[in-house]
Coordinates of all heavy atoms in Angstrom, one line a residue:
M144 N 74.9 -20.4 -14.0 CA 75.5 -20.5 -15.5 C 76.4 -21.7 -15.5 O 77.1 -22.2 -14.6 CB 76.5 -19.1 -15.5 CG 77.2 -19.0 -16.7 SD 77.8 -17.3 -16.9 CE 79.5 -17.6 -17.2
E145 N 76.2 -22.3 -16.7 CA 76.8 -23.6 -17.0 C 78.3 -23.4 -17.2 O 78.9 -22.4 -17.8 CB 76.3 -24.3 -18.2 CG 74.8 -24.8 -18.0 CD 74.3 -25.4 -19.2 OE1 75.1 -26.4 -19.7 OE2 73.3 -25.2 -19.7
D146 N 79.0 -24.4 -16.7 CA 80.6 -24.4 -17.1 C 80.9 -24.8 -18.5 O 79.9 -25.5 -19.1 CB 81.3 -25.3 -16.1 CG 81.3 -24.8 -14.7 OD1 81.2 -23.5 -14.5 OD2 81.1 -25.7 -13.7
K147 N 81.8 -24.3 -19.0 CA 82.3 -24.6 -20.4 C 82.8 -26.0 -20.3 O 83.4 -26.5 -19.4 CB 83.2 -23.7 -21.0 CG 82.7 -22.2 -21.1 CD 81.9 -22.2 -22.3 CE 81.5 -20.7 -22.6 NZ 80.9 -20.4 -23.7
L148 N 82.7 -26.7 -21.5 CA 83.2 -28.1 -21.6 C 84.4 -28.1 -22.7 O 84.1 -27.6 -23.7 CB 82.1 -29.0 -22.0 CG 82.3 -30.5 -22.1 CD1 82.7 -31.1 -20.7 CD2 81.1 -31.2 -22.5
K149 N 85.4 -28.8 -22.4 CA 86.5 -28.9 -23.5 C 86.4 -30.3 -24.0 O 86.4 -31.3 -23.3 CB 87.8 -28.6 -22.8 CG 88.1 -27.3 -22.4 CD 89.4 -27.0 -21.8 CE 89.5 -25.5 -21.4 NZ 90.9 -25.0 -21.2
I150 N 86.2 -30.3 -25.3 CA 86.1 -31.6 -26.0 C 87.0 -31.6 -27.2 O 87.5 -30.6 -27.6 CB 84.7 -32.0 -26.5 CG1 84.2 -31.0 -27.5 CG2 83.6 -32.0 -25.3 CD1 82.9 -31.3 -28.2
K151 N 87.3 -32.8 -27.8 CA 88.1 -32.9 -29.0 C 87.2 -33.6 -30.0 O 86.8 -34.6 -29.7 CB 89.4 -33.7 -28.7 CG 90.3 -32.8 -27.9 CD 91.5 -33.6 -27.7 CE 92.5 -32.9 -26.7 NZ 93.7 -33.6 -26.4
I152 N 87.0 -33.0 -31.2 CA 86.3 -33.6 -32.2 C 87.3 -33.9 -33.4 O 88.2 -33.1 -33.8 CB 85.3 -32.5 -32.8 CG1 84.2 -32.2 -31.8 CG2 84.6 -33.0 -34.1 CD1 83.3 -33.3 -31.4
S153 N 87.3 -35.1 -33.8 CA 88.1 -35.5 -35.0 C 87.3 -35.5 -36.3 O 86.3 -36.1 -36.4 CB 88.6 -36.8 -34.9 OG 89.4 -37.3 -35.8
I154 N 87.9 -34.7 -37.3 CA 87.3 -34.7 -38.6 C 88.4 -34.8 -39.7 O 89.3 -34.0 -39.6 CB 86.5 -33.3 -38.8 CG1 85.3 -33.2 -38.0 CG2 85.9 -33.2 -40.3 CD1 84.7 -31.9 -37.9
A155 N 88.3 -35.7 -40.5 CA 89.3 -35.9 -41.7 C 90.6 -36.0 -41.1 O 91.7 -35.4 -41.6 CB 89.2 -34.7 -42.6
D156 N 90.8 -36.9 -40.2 CA 92.1 -37.2 -39.6 C 92.7 -36.1 -38.8 O 94.0 -36.0 -38.7 CB 93.0 -37.8 -40.7 CG 92.5 -39.1 -41.3 OD1 91.8 -39.7 -40.5 OD2 92.8 -39.3 -42.4
R157 N 92.0 -35.1 -38.5 CA 92.5 -33.9 -37.7 C 91.7 -33.8 -36.4 O 90.5 -33.9 -36.5 CB 92.5 -32.7 -38.4 CG 93.5 -32.6 -39.5 CD 93.7 -31.1 -40.0 NE 94.7 -31.1 -41.0 CZ 95.0 -29.9 -41.6 NH1 94.4 -28.8 -41.3 NH2 96.0 -30.0 -42.4
V158 N 92.4 -33.4 -35.4 CA 91.6 -33.2 -34.1 C 91.5 -31.8 -33.8 O 92.4 -30.9 -34.0 CB 92.4 -33.9 -33.0 CG1 91.7 -33.6 -31.6 CG2 92.4 -35.5 -33.2
Y159 N 90.2 -31.4 -33.5 CA 89.9 -30.0 -33.1 C 89.5 -29.9 -31.8 O 88.4 -30.4 -31.4 CB 88.8 -29.5 -34.1 CG 89.2 -29.5 -35.6 CD1 88.9 -30.8 -36.4 CD2 89.8 -28.4 -36.2 CE1 89.4 -30.7 -37.7 CE2 90.3 -28.5 -37.5 CZ 90.0 -29.6 -38.3 OH 90.5 -29.7 -39.5
P160 N 90.4 -29.2 -30.9 CA 89.9 -28.9 -29.5 C 88.8 -27.9 -29.6 O 89.0 -26.8 -30.2 CB 91.1 -28.5 -28.8 CG 92.1 -28.0 -29.9 CD 91.6 -28.7 -31.1
L161 N 87.7 -28.1 -28.8 CA 86.7 -27.0 -28.8 C 86.3 -26.9 -27.2 O 86.3 -27.8 -26.5 CB 85.4 -27.5 -29.6 CG 85.6 -27.8 -31.0 CD1 84.3 -28.5 -31.6 CD2 85.9 -26.6 -31.8
T162 N 85.9 -25.5 -27.0 CA 85.3 -25.2 -25.7 C 83.9 -24.8 -26.0 O 83.6 -23.9 -26.6 CB 86.2 -24.0 -25.1 OG1 87.4 -24.4 -25.0 CG2 85.6 -23.7 -23.7
I163 N 82.9 -25.6 -25.4 CA 81.6 -25.5 -25.8 C 80.8 -25.5 -24.5 O 81.1 -25.8 -23.3 CB 81.1 -26.6 -26.6 CG1 81.3 -28.0 -25.9 CG2 81.9 -26.6 -28.0 CD1 80.6 -29.1 -26.5
Q164 N 79.4 -25.2 -24.7 CA 78.5 -25.3 -23.6 C 78.2 -26.9 -23.6 O 78.0 -27.5 -24.7 CB 77.2 -24.6 -23.9 CG 77.3 -23.2 -24.0 CD 77.6 -22.5 -22.7 OE1 77.3 -23.1 -21.6 NE2 78.3 -21.4 -22.6
P165 N 77.9 -27.5 -22.4 CA 77.6 -28.9 -22.3 C 76.4 -29.4 -23.2 O 76.4 -30.4 -23.7 CB 77.3 -29.1 -20.9 CG 78.1 -28.1 -20.2 CD 78.1 -26.8 -21.2
S166 N 75.4 -28.4 -23.4 CA 74.3 -28.7 -24.2 C 74.6 -28.8 -25.7 O 73.8 -29.5 -26.5 CB 73.2 -27.6 -24.0 OG 73.7 -26.3 -24.4
Q167 N 75.8 -28.4 -26.1 CA 76.0 -28.4 -27.6 C 76.9 -29.8 -27.9 O 77.0 -30.1 -29.0 CB 77.0 -27.2 -27.8 CG 76.5 -25.9 -27.7 CD 77.5 -24.9 -28.1 OE1 78.5 -24.9 -27.3 NE2 77.3 -24.1 -29.2
E168 N 77.3 -30.5 -26.8 CA 78.2 -31.6 -27.2 C 77.5 -32.7 -28.0 O 78.1 -33.2 -29.0 CB 78.6 -32.3 -25.8 CG 79.5 -33.4 -26.0 CD 80.1 -34.0 -24.7 OE1 79.5 -33.8 -23.6 OE2 81.0 -34.9 -24.8
E169 N 76.3 -33.1 -27.7 CA 75.7 -34.2 -28.5 C 75.6 -33.8 -29.9 O 75.9 -34.6 -30.8 CB 74.4 -34.5 -27.9 CG 73.6 -35.7 -28.7 CD 72.2 -36.0 -28.0 OE1 71.7 -35.3 -27.1 OE2 71.7 -37.0 -28.6
G170 N 75.1 -32.5 -30.2 CA 75.0 -32.1 -31.6 C 76.3 -32.2 -32.3 O 76.4 -32.4 -33.5
L171 N 77.3 -31.7 -31.7 CA 78.6 -31.5 -32.3 C 79.1 -32.9 -32.6 O 79.7 -33.1 -33.8 CB 79.6 -30.8 -31.5 CG 79.4 -29.2 -31.5 CD1 80.3 -28.6 -30.3 CD2 79.8 -28.7 -32.8
R172 N 79.0 -33.8 -31.8 CA 79.5 -35.2 -31.9 C 78.8 -35.9 -33.0 O 79.3 -36.6 -33.8 CB 79.5 -36.0 -30.7 CG 80.4 -35.5 -29.6 CD 80.9 -36.5 -28.6 NE 81.7 -35.8 -27.5 CZ 83.0 -35.8 -27.5 NH1 83.7 -36.2 -28.6 NH2 83.7 -35.2 -26.5
K173 N 77.4 -35.7 -33.0 CA 76.6 -36.2 -34.1 C 77.0 -35.5 -35.6 O 77.0 -36.3 -36.5 CB 75.1 -36.1 -33.8 CG 74.6 -37.0 -32.9 CD 73.0 -36.8 -32.8 CE 72.5 -37.8 -31.7 NZ 71.0 -37.6 -31.6
A174 N 77.2 -34.4 -35.5 CA 77.6 -33.7 -36.8 C 78.9 -34.3 -37.2 O 79.1 -34.5 -38.5 CB 77.7 -32.2 -36.7
A175 N 79.9 -34.4 -36.4 CA 81.3 -34.9 -36.7 C 81.1 -36.3 -37.2 O 81.8 -36.7 -38.2 CB 82.2 -34.9 -35.5
K176 N 80.3 -37.2 -36.7 CA 80.0 -38.5 -37.2 C 79.4 -38.5 -38.6 O 79.8 -39.3 -39.5 CB 79.1 -39.4 -36.3 CG 79.8 -39.9 -35.1 CD 78.9 -40.8 -34.2 CE 79.7 -41.3 -33.0 NZ 78.9 -42.2 -32.2
K177 N 78.4 -37.7 -38.8 CA 77.9 -37.5 -40.2 C 78.9 -37.0 -41.2 O 79.0 -37.5 -42.3 CB 76.8 -36.5 -40.1 CG 75.4 -37.0 -39.5 CD 74.3 -36.0 -39.7 CE 73.0 -36.5 -39.1 NZ 71.9 -35.7 -39.2
I178 N 79.8 -36.2 -40.8 CA 80.8 -35.6 -41.7 C 81.7 -36.8 -42.0 O 82.1 -37.0 -43.2 CB 81.5 -34.4 -41.2 CG1 80.6 -33.2 -41.0 CG2 82.8 -34.1 -42.0 CD1 81.3 -32.1 -40.2
E179 N 82.2 -37.5 -40.9 CA 83.1 -38.7 -41.3 C 82.4 -39.7 -42.2 O 83.1 -40.2 -43.1 CB 83.5 -39.3 -39.9 CG 84.5 -38.6 -39.1 CD 85.9 -38.4 -39.8 OE1 86.3 -39.4 -40.4 OE2 86.4 -37.2 -39.7
A180 N 81.2 -40.1 -41.9 CA 80.5 -41.0 -42.8 C 80.4 -40.5 -44.2 O 80.6 -41.2 -45.1 CB 79.1 -41.3 -42.3
M181 N 80.2 -39.2 -44.4 CA 80.1 -38.6 -45.8 C 81.4 -38.6 -46.5 O 81.6 -38.9 -47.7 CB 79.5 -37.2 -45.7 CG 79.1 -36.6 -46.9 SD 78.3 -35.1 -46.9 CE 76.8 -35.5 -46.2
I182 N 82.5 -38.3 -45.6 CA 83.8 -38.3 -46.2 C 84.2 -39.7 -46.7 O 84.7 -39.9 -47.9 CB 84.9 -37.9 -45.1 CG1 84.8 -36.4 -44.9 CG2 86.3 -38.3 -45.5 CD1 85.6 -36.0 -43.6
K183 N 83.8 -40.7 -45.8 CA 84.1 -42.2 -46.3 C 83.3 -42.4 -47.6 O 83.8 -43.1 -48.5 CB 83.7 -43.0 -45.3 CG 84.0 -44.5 -45.3 CD 83.6 -45.2 -44.1 CE 84.7 -46.2 -43.7 NZ 84.4 -47.0 -42.6
Q184 N 82.1 -42.1 -47.6 CA 81.2 -42.3 -48.7 C 81.8 -41.6 -50.0 O 81.9 -42.4 -51.1 CB 79.7 -41.8 -48.6 CG 78.9 -42.0 -49.7 CD 77.5 -41.4 -49.5 OE1 77.2 -40.8 -48.5 NE2 76.7 -41.6 -50.4
F185 N 82.3 -40.4 -49.9 CA 82.7 -39.7 -51.1 C 84.0 -40.3 -51.4 O 84.4 -40.4 -52.8 CB 83.1 -38.2 -50.8 CG 81.7 -37.4 -50.9 CD1 81.3 -36.5 -49.9 CD2 81.0 -37.4 -52.1 CE1 80.3 -35.7 -50.1 CE2 79.8 -36.7 -52.1 CZ 79.5 -35.8 -51.1
E186 N 84.9 -40.7 -50.6 CA 86.3 -41.2 -50.9 C 86.1 -42.7 -51.6 O 86.8 -42.9 -52.5 CB 87.0 -41.5 -49.6 CG 87.6 -40.2 -49.1 CD 88.5 -40.4 -47.9 OE1 88.2 -41.3 -47.0 OE2 89.3 -39.5 -47.5
Q187 N 85.0 -43.4 -51.2 CA 84.7 -44.7 -51.8 C 84.1 -44.6 -53.2 O 84.4 -45.3 -54.1 CB 83.8 -45.6 -50.9 CG 84.6 -46.1 -49.7 CD 83.7 -46.8 -48.7 OE1 82.4 -46.8 -48.8 NE2 84.2 -47.3 -47.7
S188 N 83.2 -43.7 -53.3 CA 82.5 -43.5 -54.5 C 83.2 -42.7 -55.7 O 83.0 -43.1 -56.8 CB 81.2 -42.7 -54.2 OG 80.3 -43.4 -53.4
Y189 N 84.0 -41.8 -55.3 CA 84.5 -41.0 -56.3 C 86.2 -41.1 -56.2 O 86.8 -40.5 -57.0 CB 84.2 -39.5 -56.0 CG 82.8 -39.3 -56.2 CD1 82.0 -39.1 -55.0 CD2 82.1 -39.5 -57.4 CE1 80.6 -38.9 -55.2 CE2 80.8 -39.3 -57.5 CZ 80.1 -38.9 -56.3 OH 78.6 -38.8 -56.4
A190 N 86.7 -42.0 -55.5 CA 88.2 -42.1 -55.4 C 88.9 -40.8 -55.3 O 90.0 -40.6 -55.9 CB 88.7 -42.9 -56.7
V191 N 88.4 -40.0 -54.4 CA 89.0 -38.7 -54.1 C 90.1 -38.8 -53.0 O 89.7 -39.5 -51.9 CB 87.9 -37.7 -53.7 CG1 88.6 -36.3 -53.4 CG2 87.0 -37.5 -54.7
R192 N 91.3 -38.4 -53.3 CA 92.3 -38.6 -52.3 C 92.6 -37.3 -51.6 O 93.0 -37.4 -50.3 CB 93.6 -39.1 -53.0 CG 93.5 -40.4 -53.4 CD 94.9 -40.9 -54.1 NE 94.9 -42.3 -54.4 CZ 94.3 -43.0 -55.1 NH1 93.3 -42.5 -55.8 NH2 94.5 -44.4 -55.3
D193 N 92.3 -36.1 -52.1 CA 92.6 -34.8 -51.4 C 91.5 -34.6 -50.5 O 90.3 -34.4 -50.8 CB 92.7 -33.8 -52.5 CG 93.1 -32.4 -51.9 OD1 93.2 -32.3 -50.7 OD2 93.3 -31.5 -52.7
K194 N 91.9 -34.5 -49.1 CA 90.9 -34.3 -48.2 C 90.2 -32.9 -48.3 O 89.0 -32.8 -47.9 CB 91.6 -34.3 -46.8 CG 92.0 -35.7 -46.3 CD 90.9 -36.6 -45.9 CE 91.3 -37.8 -45.4 NZ 90.3 -38.9 -45.2
Q195 N 90.9 -32.0 -48.9 CA 90.2 -30.7 -49.1 C 89.1 -30.7 -50.0 O 88.0 -30.2 -49.8 CB 91.2 -29.6 -49.5 CG 90.6 -28.2 -49.6 CD 91.7 -27.2 -49.8 OE1 92.9 -27.4 -49.8 NE2 91.2 -26.0 -50.2
D196 N 89.3 -31.6 -51.0 CA 88.3 -31.7 -52.1 C 87.0 -32.5 -51.4 O 85.9 -32.1 -51.6 CB 88.7 -32.5 -53.2 CG 89.7 -31.7 -54.2 OD1 89.6 -30.5 -54.0 OD2 90.3 -32.3 -54.9
V197 N 87.2 -33.4 -50.6 CA 86.1 -34.2 -50.0 C 85.5 -33.3 -49.0 O 84.2 -33.4 -48.9 CB 86.9 -35.4 -49.1 CG1 85.7 -36.1 -48.3 CG2 87.5 -36.4 -50.2
L198 N 86.1 -32.5 -48.2 CA 85.6 -31.6 -47.3 C 84.8 -30.6 -47.9 O 83.7 -30.2 -47.4 CB 86.6 -31.0 -46.4 CG 87.3 -31.8 -45.2 CD1 88.4 -31.3 -44.6 CD2 86.2 -32.2 -44.3
A199 N 85.2 -30.0 -49.1 CA 84.4 -29.2 -49.8 C 83.2 -29.8 -50.4 O 82.0 -29.1 -50.4 CB 85.2 -28.6 -51.0
M200 N 83.2 -31.0 -50.8 CA 82.0 -31.7 -51.3 C 81.0 -32.0 -50.1 O 79.8 -31.8 -50.3 CB 82.5 -33.0 -51.8 CG 83.1 -32.9 -53.2 SD 84.1 -34.4 -53.7 CE 82.7 -35.5 -54.2
C201 N 81.5 -32.3 -48.9 CA 80.7 -32.4 -47.8 C 80.0 -31.0 -47.4 O 78.9 -31.0 -47.1 CB 81.6 -32.9 -46.5 SG 82.1 -34.6 -46.6
A202 N 80.8 -30.0 -47.5 CA 80.2 -28.7 -47.1 C 79.1 -28.3 -48.1 O 78.0 -27.9 -47.7 CB 81.3 -27.6 -47.1
L203 N 79.3 -28.6 -49.3 CA 78.3 -28.4 -50.4 C 77.1 -29.2 -50.1 O 76.0 -28.7 -50.3 CB 78.9 -28.6 -51.7 CG 77.9 -28.5 -52.9 CD1 77.4 -26.9 -52.9 CD2 78.5 -28.9 -54.2
Q204 N 77.3 -30.4 -49.8 CA 76.1 -31.3 -49.5 C 75.3 -30.9 -48.3 O 74.1 -30.8 -48.4 CB 76.7 -32.8 -49.3 CG 75.7 -33.8 -49.0 CD 75.2 -34.6 -50.2 OE1 75.8 -34.5 -51.3 NE2 74.1 -35.3 -50.1
F205 N 76.0 -30.5 -47.2 CA 75.3 -30.1 -46.1 C 74.5 -28.8 -46.3 O 73.4 -28.5 -45.9 CB 76.3 -29.9 -44.8 CG 76.5 -31.3 -44.2 CD1 77.8 -31.8 -44.2 CD2 75.5 -32.0 -43.6 CE1 78.0 -33.0 -43.4 CE2 75.7 -33.2 -43.0 CZ 77.0 -33.7 -42.9
A206 N 75.3 -27.8 -47.0 CA 74.6 -26.6 -47.3 C 73.4 -26.8 -48.3 O 72.4 -26.1 -48.1 CB 75.6 -25.6 -48.0
A207 N 73.4 -27.6 -49.2 CA 72.3 -27.9 -50.1 C 71.2 -28.6 -49.4 O 70.1 -28.2 -49.6 CB 72.7 -28.9 -51.2
Q208 N 71.5 -29.4 -48.4 CA 70.3 -30.0 -47.6 C 69.7 -28.9 -46.7 O 68.5 -28.9 -46.7 CB 71.1 -31.0 -46.7 CG 71.3 -32.3 -47.4 CD 72.1 -33.2 -46.4 OE1 72.4 -32.9 -45.4 NE2 72.4 -34.4 -47.1
T209 N 70.5 -27.9 -46.2 CA 69.9 -26.8 -45.4 C 69.1 -26.0 -46.2 O 68.0 -25.6 -45.9 CB 71.0 -26.1 -44.7 OG1 71.8 -27.0 -43.9 CG2 70.4 -25.0 -43.9
E210 N 69.5 -25.6 -47.4 CA 68.8 -24.8 -48.3 C 67.5 -25.4 -48.8 O 66.5 -24.8 -48.9 CB 69.8 -24.3 -49.4 CG 70.7 -23.4 -49.2 CD 70.3 -22.1 -48.5 OE1 69.3 -21.5 -48.9 OE2 71.0 -21.6 -47.5
Q211 N 67.6 -26.7 -49.1 CA 66.4 -27.4 -49.5 C 65.2 -27.5 -48.5 O 64.1 -27.4 -48.7 CB 66.8 -28.7 -50.0 CG 65.6 -29.5 -50.7 CD 65.2 -28.8 -52.0 OE1 66.0 -28.4 -52.8 NE2 63.9 -28.5 -52.1
K212 N 65.9 -27.7 -47.2 CA 64.9 -27.6 -46.1 C 64.2 -26.4 -45.9 O 63.0 -26.2 -45.7 CB 65.6 -28.0 -44.8 CG 65.9 -29.6 -44.6 CD 66.5 -29.8 -43.3 CE 66.8 -31.3 -43.3 NZ 67.6 -31.7 -42.1
D213 N 65.0 -25.3 -46.1 CA 64.4 -23.9 -46.0 C 63.3 -23.6 -47.2 O 62.3 -23.2 -46.9 CB 65.4 -22.9 -46.1 CG 66.3 -22.7 -44.9 OD1 65.9 -23.3 -43.9 OD2 67.4 -22.1 -44.9
I214 N 63.6 -24.1 -48.3 CA 62.7 -24.1 -49.5 C 61.5 -24.8 -49.1 O 60.4 -24.4 -49.3 CB 63.4 -24.5 -50.8 CG1 64.5 -23.5 -51.2 CG2 62.4 -24.8 -51.9 CD1 65.4 -24.0 -52.3
D215 N 61.6 -26.1 -48.8 CA 60.5 -27.0 -48.4 C 59.6 -26.3 -47.3 O 58.4 -26.4 -47.4 CB 61.0 -28.3 -48.0 CG 61.6 -29.2 -49.1 OD1 61.4 -28.7 -50.3 OD2 62.3 -30.2 -48.9
N216 N 60.3 -25.9 -46.4 CA 59.5 -25.2 -45.2 C 58.8 -24.1 -45.6 O 57.6 -23.8 -45.3 CB 60.4 -24.9 -44.0 CG 60.9 -26.1 -43.3 OD1 60.4 -27.2 -43.3 ND2 62.0 -25.9 -42.6
S217 N 59.4 -23.2 -46.5 CA 58.7 -22.1 -47.1 C 57.5 -22.4 -47.9 O 56.4 -21.8 -47.8 CB 59.7 -21.3 -48.0 OG 59.1 -20.1 -48.6
S218 N 57.6 -23.5 -48.7 CA 56.5 -24.0 -49.5 C 55.4 -24.4 -48.6 O 54.1 -24.2 -48.9 CB 56.9 -25.0 -50.4 OG 57.8 -24.5 -51.3
E219 N 55.7 -25.1 -47.5 CA 54.7 -25.6 -46.6 C 54.0 -24.4 -45.9 O 52.8 -24.6 -45.7 CB 55.3 -26.5 -45.6 CG 55.8 -27.9 -46.2 CD 54.7 -28.7 -46.8 OE1 53.6 -28.8 -46.2 OE2 54.8 -29.2 -47.8
M220 N 54.8 -23.5 -45.5 CA 54.2 -22.3 -44.9 C 53.1 -21.6 -45.8 O 52.1 -21.2 -45.3 CB 55.2 -21.2 -44.5 CG 56.0 -21.7 -43.2 SD 55.0 -21.9 -41.7 CE 54.8 -20.1 -41.4
I221 N 53.5 -21.4 -47.1 CA 52.7 -20.9 -48.0 C 51.4 -21.6 -48.2 O 50.2 -21.1 -48.2 CB 53.3 -20.6 -49.5 CG1 54.5 -19.6 -49.2 CG2 52.4 -20.3 -50.5 CD1 55.4 -19.5 -50.5
K222 N 51.6 -23.0 -48.3 CA 50.3 -23.8 -48.4 C 49.4 -23.6 -47.1 O 48.1 -23.4 -47.2 CB 50.7 -25.3 -48.5 CG 51.3 -25.6 -49.9 CD 51.7 -27.0 -50.0 CE 52.4 -27.3 -51.3 NZ 52.9 -28.8 -51.3
A223 N 50.0 -23.6 -46.0 CA 49.3 -23.5 -44.8 C 48.6 -22.1 -44.6 O 47.5 -22.0 -44.2 CB 50.2 -23.6 -43.5
E224 N 49.2 -21.0 -45.1 CA 48.6 -19.7 -45.0 C 47.4 -19.7 -45.9 O 46.5 -19.2 -45.6 CB 49.7 -18.8 -45.4 CG 50.7 -18.5 -44.4 CD 51.9 -17.5 -44.8 OE1 51.8 -17.0 -45.9 OE2 52.7 -17.2 -43.9
E225 N 47.6 -20.3 -47.1 CA 46.5 -20.3 -48.1 C 45.3 -21.1 -47.6 O 44.1 -20.7 -47.7 CB 46.8 -21.0 -49.4 CG 47.9 -20.2 -50.2 CD 48.4 -20.8 -51.4 OE1 48.3 -22.1 -51.6 OE2 49.2 -20.2 -52.2
K226 N 45.5 -22.2 -46.9 CA 44.5 -23.0 -46.3 C 43.8 -22.2 -45.1 O 42.5 -22.2 -45.0 CB 45.0 -24.4 -45.7 CG 45.2 -25.3 -46.8 CD 45.7 -26.6 -46.2 CE 46.1 -27.6 -47.3 NZ 46.6 -28.9 -46.8
L227 N 44.6 -21.4 -44.3 CA 44.0 -20.7 -43.2 C 43.2 -19.6 -43.8 O 42.2 -19.2 -43.2 CB 45.1 -20.2 -42.4 CG 45.8 -21.1 -41.4 CD1 47.0 -20.6 -40.8 CD2 44.8 -21.7 -40.4
R228 N 43.6 -19.0 -44.9 CA 42.9 -17.9 -45.5 C 41.6 -18.3 -45.9 O 40.5 -17.6 -45.8 CB 43.7 -17.2 -46.7 CG 44.5 -16.0 -46.2 CD 45.1 -15.3 -47.5 NE 46.4 -14.8 -47.1 CZ 47.6 -15.3 -47.5 NH1 47.6 -16.4 -48.2 NH2 48.7 -14.9 -47.0
S229 N 41.6 -19.5 -46.7 CA 40.4 -20.1 -47.2 C 39.4 -20.4 -46.0 O 38.1 -20.1 -46.1 CB 40.6 -21.4 -47.9 OG 41.4 -21.1 -49.1
L230 N 39.9 -21.0 -44.9 CA 39.0 -21.3 -43.7 C 38.5 -20.0 -43.2 O 37.4 -20.0 -42.7 CB 39.8 -22.1 -42.7 CG 40.1 -23.6 -43.1 CD1 41.2 -24.2 -42.0 CD2 38.7 -24.4 -43.0
N231 N 39.3 -19.0 -43.1 CA 38.9 -17.6 -42.5 C 37.8 -17.0 -43.3 O 36.8 -16.7 -42.9 CB 40.1 -16.7 -42.3 CG 39.7 -15.5 -41.7 OD1 39.0 -15.7 -40.6 ND2 40.2 -14.3 -42.0
E232 N 38.0 -17.2 -44.7 CA 36.9 -16.6 -45.6 C 35.6 -17.4 -45.5 O 34.5 -16.8 -45.5 CB 37.5 -16.7 -47.0 CG 38.4 -15.7 -47.3 CD 39.2 -15.9 -48.7 OE1 38.6 -16.7 -49.5 OE2 40.2 -15.2 -49.0
L233 N 35.7 -18.7 -45.2 CA 34.6 -19.5 -45.1 C 33.9 -19.2 -43.7 O 32.6 -19.0 -43.7 CB 35.0 -21.0 -45.1 CG 33.9 -22.0 -45.0 CD1 32.9 -21.9 -46.3 CD2 34.5 -23.5 -45.0
L234 N 34.6 -19.0 -42.7 CA 34.0 -18.7 -41.4 C 33.4 -17.3 -41.5 O 32.3 -17.1 -40.9 CB 35.1 -18.6 -40.4 CG 35.5 -20.0 -39.9 CD1 36.8 -19.9 -38.9 CD2 34.4 -20.7 -39.2
Q235 N 34.1 -16.4 -42.2 CA 33.6 -15.1 -42.2 C 32.2 -15.0 -43.1 O 31.3 -14.3 -42.7 CB 34.5 -14.0 -43.0 CG 35.7 -13.8 -42.1 CD 35.4 -12.9 -40.9 OE1 34.5 -12.2 -40.8 NE2 36.3 -13.3 -39.8
S236 N 32.1 -15.8 -44.2 CA 30.9 -15.8 -44.8 C 29.8 -16.5 -44.0 O 28.6 -16.0 -44.2 CB 31.0 -16.6 -46.2 OG 31.3 -18.1 -45.9
H237 N 30.0 -17.4 -43.2 CA 29.0 -18.0 -42.4 C 28.6 -17.2 -41.2 O 27.4 -17.1 -40.9 CB 29.5 -19.4 -41.7 CG 29.4 -20.5 -42.8 ND1 28.3 -21.0 -43.4 CD2 30.4 -21.3 -43.2 CE1 28.5 -21.9 -44.1 NE2 29.8 -22.1 -44.2
L238 N 29.6 -16.4 -40.8 CA 29.2 -15.5 -39.6 C 28.4 -14.2 -40.2 O 27.6 -13.7 -39.4 CB 30.4 -14.9 -39.0 CG 31.2 -16.0 -38.1 CD1 32.6 -15.4 -37.7 CD2 30.3 -16.5 -37.0
A239 N 28.6 -13.9 -41.4 CA 27.8 -12.7 -42.0 C 26.5 -13.2 -42.3 O 25.6 -12.2 -42.5 CB 28.7 -12.2 -43.3
S240 N 26.1 -14.5 -42.5 CA 24.9 -14.9 -43.0 C 23.9 -14.8 -41.8 O 24.0 -15.0 -40.7 CB 24.9 -16.4 -43.4 OG 25.8 -16.6 -44.4

């Protein structure tokens, strides 16, 4: 069993102590860097001073990206299933001949 790892993640000028599995560290640090970059971008682009507004905008952006990926993946699955059905029908027709 892996030991827990204690790390500190900084987001929007606040430090969050976390106890995590070592395998989660890289993902959490990358996510924190992406959030920080997005905060900087929103602050520069929209002159937003309230950190809560910026964090809400970041949350919306990440949630929208996740939802869009789910939609895209669902569309790709439907296309793949249709192609497989067509191939199956083609094979069935050749096997029946």
Side-chain angles (χ1 to χ4, degrees):
M144 186 161 123
E145 292 185 52
D146 291 326
K147 298 282 185 172
L148 182 63
K149 292 185 180 192
I150 64 170
K151 292 180 181 176
I152 298 287
S153 178
I154 299 173
D156 301 326
R157 287 195 176 179
V158 175
Y159 297 92
L161 300 171
T162 302
I163 61 166
Q164 295 291 331
S166 61
Q167 296 176 300
E168 183 179 12
E169 182 179 4
L171 285 167
R172 292 199 187 277
K173 282 184 176 182
K176 280 185 180 182
K177 282 185 178 181
I178 293 168
E179 284 296 322
M181 193 176 288
I182 287 170
K183 191 178 219 176
Q184 179 186 4
F185 280 131
E186 286 176 335
Q187 290 172 350
S188 299
Y189 301 107
V191 180
R192 286 183 169 65
D193 186 354
K194 288 288 186 187
Q195 185 172 349
D196 289 340
V197 175
L198 288 170
M200 292 166 69
C201 288
L203 178 61
Q204 179 96 11
F205 280 117
Q208 288 171 358
T209 299
E210 290 302 319
Q211 190 60 50
K212 282 181 185 176
D213 289 347
I214 290 167
D215 293 346
N216 287 341
S217 177
S218 296
E219 291 299 316
M220 285 296 285
I221 291 169
K222 288 178 187 175
E224 287 173 0
E225 289 172 357
K226 286 181 181 179
L227 286 172
R228 272 193 210 96
S229 295
L230 284 171
N231 191 39
E232 290 171 7
L233 184 62
L234 284 171
Q235 291 298 327
S236 68
H237 284 297
L238 289 174
S240 301

